[in-house]
Amino acid sequence: MSTVATSRPAITSSLGQRIPTLLRRFWHGWGFALAVYAALSVVLSWPVARDFTRAISSDGGNDARLNIWMLWHTQQAFLGRQPLLGAPTLYWPLGASLLTQSPGPLMGVFALPFWPLGVEATYNATLMVGLTLTGFCLYLLARELGLARGAALFAGVVYMTVPMALGGLLQHMDKTFLGLLPLTLWALLRAFDPLRSVWWAPATAFIVMLTILHGGWHFVQAVFAVVFFVAVFWLTNPTGDRRFLWQRTLALGVSALILVGPFVVGIVRASADPMLHVDNGLQSYEHHPDLAEFFLPSQYSILFGPTVLDFLGRFGITPSVETAVSLVYTGLVLAALGAARGGRRALVWLLFTLVFFVLALGPVLKALGQKEFTLYKLPIILPYAVVSDLPGMAFMRTPGRFMMMGFVGFAVLAAFGLQWLVTRFPSWQRILPLAAIALVLVEVWPQPWPTEVMRPVPLFYKQIASDPAMYGVFDLPQKPRSDASAAGYSSFYQMYQMTHGKGIATGFLSFTPPRHPLFPGLFQTDPTPPDALVNGQKVSAYTDAAYELAEQGYRYVVRHKPDKAYAEFKPGSRGDKIAEDFVRNAFPNQSPIVDDDLTTVYALPATADPATLTLYMELRDGWQEREDKWRWTKSPATLYILSPTAQEATLQVTPSSIHDPEGEGGVGKEGVLTVTANGVTQQVPIHVDETANVPITLVPGGQTVTLSLDAGNFHPSDYGVGDTRELSFAIKTLNLKTN
């Protein structure tokens, strides 16, 4: 008894002595750097801290609201209410995959502790955490490379203040956290260090896996960087032990296959969904940075930004966050010094930086707005043109993002230069890093960032939030501007979904269906097209909206009242007129159940009764936008018909062009059309400018009619016509005539 009694105070005393030592070690090792980067994240994002709980950091675009929704979705996943990589309440009841979404759910983990502070504070805090960790992860990499604390601290400051990271405060949350890129290299260096455990190989693969949960661009660049340095290790063989290289490379490869492979397979499958359009490669030709943008100060700089924008504007260059690739001048000078005096290791980082610099230039060189050079007006093709054409790379449309990794190499190279200066002038070992950091901050110090006050949540949404049932809520307007997508505007409705938790008809994600998968007629530009007639008359797609929505499990239609504070949805705007037209046609004799300052709410029928329908026909798959007096389609094309009863009808088809492989330009005067309706298939001869009558039997409710030209499809460009579309035939009108 006496032995135990006397040992406990000794243990407590020993622990009490060790804690201050551990705290001091943490402060000198990590804590001081974290504190510096955290403080910088607050001042560099100003006035976000001032408006911390009142407004969000945003330029007013849709991306900030998508970011908030992703943070909320991640929280819901951790609470067991949503799958982490799926969104069943978007495009309800179909749902949407989040495997192709960027940003992914990773930053939602950062946000978890802040939710009790409110939505605005959660988002703003997450951005600051992202910036802080961006600097800190680069600091870790620099220290792993043997750089002194001052040089490593400087490298982190350079990296967290690059314009692409700071520009992320406007709209792209994933750009504020670039830390996984240097962290991948930090772990990789340890994985190929013979003095460290082989377990650093799976640790590297794990970090690469995290990049998938953060964003596709981060993943691609992490993989490129890993391949680059593994190649360097094999070519230089610093240990002289090839068996060691085989061991670590194999461990890394197997770990990546286990940890990363399933995600890659899932992404490939999700990308193959025909409802998505992930091939954005050709957009890279318009969204790549000009060479001048790399060597001019940041567009966001309070000192230099206006001058830079004015200068670039003279050459027709409009910078954006996607082309925010400025290399800070202090870093350029020190990087040049590092390349010249930093030895062989620095030269490796120079090559690394150049690789990503060249990729960031895009498919062709653009210099002061020019893409064609010499007397022959020829473009200079760059490696990105090949890289973006590789399997799986079709999603890339903004080459400048390759500088997210290029900035890693740039910051490290500049730190090598600063380290040489400190070694050359040891008496200035503290002053030089501080001076270099100060010069960087002076150059990049940003103008105050814009903030956005979120729209108030309608009371009705707060009321249905307590309803445990799951159903759909259809928000109006769907598309307030003709030049904007319905998916983009739905970011507002995703904000409301965070309150009511029900399904909504759309969703703003990185990749969204070009045509609504369930209600294309309700989202088309013209709800009463002039060439899809019923008994010779135009019928609004909104007429049977109540039936279509009820059939898919929607319970309410919520019309948001216009607000003059929002240009795209002020009174009398296109959005206001669309909402009015929708309600007038869908609820002609029905009173709303809620009518307050923000919303007018209509209840949908509990069951979809075909007897309430008005006969309606809608163009679905294959149809192009209407041109002068015709509309092209490819085979097979589909029509969707809603009928109140079983009845006989005649589909009248009046073609204006018909594909004929032997005809001039690929078109002729006649062909054979195969029509399938409710299990009955017919072959009907068709002739240009003549109406073909196809008898069909309709059933109550919805049905699909398929039209296929026996001659199939063609590309006009194959016949010397400048049109690359896949086409089959064109119609003047389609008319559904009841017998």
Side-chain angles (χ1 to χ4, degrees):
M1 294 292 293
S2 61
T3 302
V4 173
T6 56
S7 65
R8 284 178 178 172
I11 293 173
T12 304
S13 175
S14 174
L15 184 61
Q17 293 172 356
R18 291 179 60 193
I19 289 178
T21 301
L22 293 173
L23 289 175
R24 282 195 299 271
R25 289 180 179 176
F26 173 78
W27 176 254
H28 289 290
W30 289 3
F32 177 73
L34 273 171
V36 169
Y37 299 134
L40 283 176
S41 74
V42 173
V43 295
L44 289 170
S45 62
W46 190 263
V48 174
R50 182 196 66 193
D51 300 332
F52 194 63
T53 60
R54 186 190 68 86
I56 61 170
S57 177
S58 169
D59 62 359
N62 299 314
D63 291 279
R65 292 184 288 275
L66 167 61
N67 297 339
I68 293 173
W69 184 88
M70 280 301 305
L71 301 182
W72 170 80
H73 175 82
T74 305
Q75 180 212 38
Q76 296 298 295
F78 272 84
L79 292 174
R81 299 170 184 168
Q82 296 276 334
L84 184 63
L85 297 175
T89 56
L90 298 184
Y91 295 93
W92 201 82
L94 287 181
S97 172
L98 296 180
L99 282 166
T100 58
Q101 166 60 27
S102 179
L106 181 65
M107 292 189 77
V109 178
F110 299 165
L112 291 175
F114 303 108
W115 281 107
L117 302 177
V119 172
E120 292 88 349
T122 297
Y123 181 57
N124 293 330
T126 303
L127 296 179
M128 293 181 188
V129 169
L131 283 177
T132 300
L133 293 180
T134 293
F136 180 67
C137 290
L138 201 288
Y139 172 84
L140 290 179
L141 173 61
R143 292 291 284 160
E144 185 66 23
L145 290 168
L147 294 169
R149 288 178 64 203
L153 196 67
F154 164 78
V157 171
V158 170
Y159 194 50
M160 74 176 294
T161 59
V162 297
M164 193 166 285
L166 294 179
L169 293 166
L170 292 173
Q171 51 186 284
H172 292 169
M173 176 175 68
D174 62 306
K175 290 188 175 74
T176 64
F177 177 51
L178 305 179
L180 288 179
L181 302 181
L183 197 66
T184 298
L185 299 180
W186 170 75
L188 183 67
L189 291 175
R190 292 189 164 209
F192 282 82
D193 183 346
L195 300 180
R196 296 189 183 274
S197 167
V198 70
W199 286 102
W200 279 103
T204 304
F206 177 76
I207 297 172
V208 173
M209 182 197 73
L210 291 181
T211 64
I212 296 180
L213 297 175
H214 189 38
W217 271 98
H218 296 258
F219 171 66
V220 167
Q221 293 182 76
V223 171
F224 277 33
V226 168
V227 170
F228 176 92
F229 274 103
V230 169
V232 169
F233 296 146
W234 274 91
L235 290 172
T236 60
N237 194 10
T239 65
D241 185 350
R242 295 185 70 83
R243 181 179 179 183
F244 168 79
L245 289 176
W246 275 113
Q247 179 196 51
R248 294 302 169 97
T249 304
L250 184 62
L252 178 62
V254 171
S255 301
L257 188 65
I258 294 172
L259 295 174
V260 179
F263 285 95
V264 173
V265 171
I267 292 170
V268 170
R269 289 177 176 173
S271 301
D273 185 345
M275 291 306 301
L276 294 182
H277 180 70
V278 299
D279 187 356
N280 292 326
L282 291 179
Q283 295 184 32
S284 297
Y285 192 75
E286 300 298 331
H287 293 95
H288 62 107
D290 192 282
L291 181 63
E293 292 182 81
F294 289 87
F295 301 105
L296 291 172
S298 168
Q299 59 187 288
Y300 306 119
S301 167
I302 194 169
L303 289 179
F304 308 109
T307 303
V308 168
L309 292 175
D310 179 66
F311 175 79
L312 292 174
R314 298 176 190 176
F315 300 95
I317 302 169
T318 304
S320 70
V321 68
E322 301 292 11
T323 63
V325 293
S326 301
L327 299 168
V328 66
Y329 289 151
T330 303
L332 281 170
V333 172
L334 291 174
L337 192 59
R341 299 292 186 177
R344 187 176 179 181
R345 286 196 310 159
L347 291 177
V348 170
W349 284 97
L350 173 63
L351 178 60
F352 179 81
T353 305
L354 289 175
V355 166
F356 287 93
F357 173 88
V358 172
L359 287 173
L361 283 168
V364 297
L365 179 65
K366 180 168 66 171
L368 293 179
Q370 297 297 313
K371 293 182 181 180
E372 297 177 341
F373 305 92
T374 75
L375 175 67
Y376 304 100
K377 302 294 184 182
L378 297 175
I380 298 176
I381 308 300
L382 296 175
Y384 179 90
V386 177
V387 171
S388 61
D389 202 35
L390 295 174
M393 299 291 106
F395 75 95
M396 300 193 302
R397 65 179 184 88
T398 50
R401 292 191 188 188
F402 269 113
M403 279 306 292
M404 294 193 299
M405 185 62 88
F407 285 129
V408 173
F410 176 70
V412 167
L413 196 58
F416 272 113
L418 180 59
Q419 178 88 338
W420 182 85
L421 275 181
V422 170
T423 305
R424 182 72 175 79
F425 303 101
S427 59
W428 291 4
Q429 60 180 331
R430 292 187 177 180
I431 296 177
L432 284 172
L434 289 176
I437 290 172
L439 287 172
V440 168
L441 292 177
V442 167
E443 183 180 337
V444 305
W445 200 267
Q447 304 172 55
W449 301 100
T451 58
E452 176 186 355
V453 176
M454 298 179 67
R455 294 186 182 182
V457 177
L459 178 62
F460 175 71
Y461 290 148
K462 298 177 182 179
Q463 293 172 345
I464 64 174
S466 60
D467 185 349
M470 178 54 69
Y471 46 81
V473 174
F474 191 86
D475 296 278
L476 293 173
Q478 320 95 307
K479 188 178 176 183
R481 300 200 322 265
S482 59
D483 62 339
S485 69
Y489 195 75
S490 68
S491 64
F492 288 109
Y493 304 144
Q494 286 168 265
M495 295 298 92
Y496 301 145
Q497 187 184 59
M498 292 165 51
T499 295
H500 61 65
K502 310 306 180 188
I504 61 176
T506 54
F508 180 57
L509 299 171
S510 295
F511 299 99
T512 54
R515 183 177 66 86
H516 198 281
L518 282 175
F519 312 119
L522 303 185
F523 288 90
Q524 61 190 354
T525 302
D526 182 2
T528 55
D531 49 5
L533 308 176
V534 175
N535 290 321
Q537 302 295 317
K538 295 191 294 184
V539 179
S540 173
Y542 303 152
T543 301
D544 292 326
Y547 173 89
E548 290 192 76
L549 292 170
E551 188 179 38
Q552 297 297 336
Y554 282 74
R555 192 173 294 183
Y556 302 106
V557 170
V558 180
R559 178 185 178 183
H560 297 269
K561 293 186 175 178
D563 190 331
K564 61 182 179 181
Y566 302 99
E568 78 280 8
F569 193 31
K570 60 185 178 181
S573 65
R574 181 179 186 273
D576 187 22
K577 293 177 180 177
I578 286 176
E580 181 182 359
D581 187 30
F582 190 106
V583 169
R584 183 177 61 253
N585 282 278
F587 307 104
N589 302 307
Q590 185 173 331
S591 299
I593 61 171
V594 173
D595 190 5
D596 57 26
D597 292 340
L598 297 178
T599 60
T600 304
V601 182
Y602 294 86
L604 291 164
T607 58
D609 182 4
T612 64
L613 288 172
T614 297
L615 186 62
Y616 168 68
M617 180 172 65
E618 177 179 292
L619 306 176
R620 284 282 174 101
D621 296 334
W623 297 95
Q624 303 285 328
E625 291 294 326
R626 184 169 176 81
E627 298 174 44
D628 185 15
K629 295 181 179 180
W630 59 83
R631 186 192 299 265
W632 278 99
T633 187
K634 64 179 181 179
S635 293
T638 62
L639 305 172
Y640 181 65
I641 298 175
L642 288 169
S643 176
T645 61
Q647 57 183 315
E648 299 299 319
T650 300
L651 179 63
Q652 297 180 324
V653 183
T654 308
S656 61
S657 296
I658 302 170
H659 171 46
D660 181 352
E662 305 300 326
E664 182 179 355
V667 296
K669 296 292 185 180
E670 59 185 32
V672 176
L673 194 66
T674 298
V675 181
T676 302
N678 294 317
V680 178
T681 299
Q682 308 171 63
Q683 286 193 314
V684 181
I686 57 174
H687 299 81
V688 169
D689 296 332
E690 296 182 13
T691 299
N693 295 288
V694 185
I696 56 176
T697 300
L698 302 178
V699 298
Q703 52 233 285
T704 298
V705 177
T706 303
L707 310 177
S708 298
L709 187 70
D710 284 9
N713 299 311
F714 76 113
H715 294 89
S717 57
D718 293 339
Y719 292 84
V721 180
D723 188 340
T724 59
R725 293 177 298 173
E726 185 179 25
L727 306 174
S728 183
F729 60 94
I731 58 103
K732 288 184 176 180
T733 58
L734 289 165
N735 181 48
L736 182 64
K737 181 182 178 182
T738 53
N739 297 340

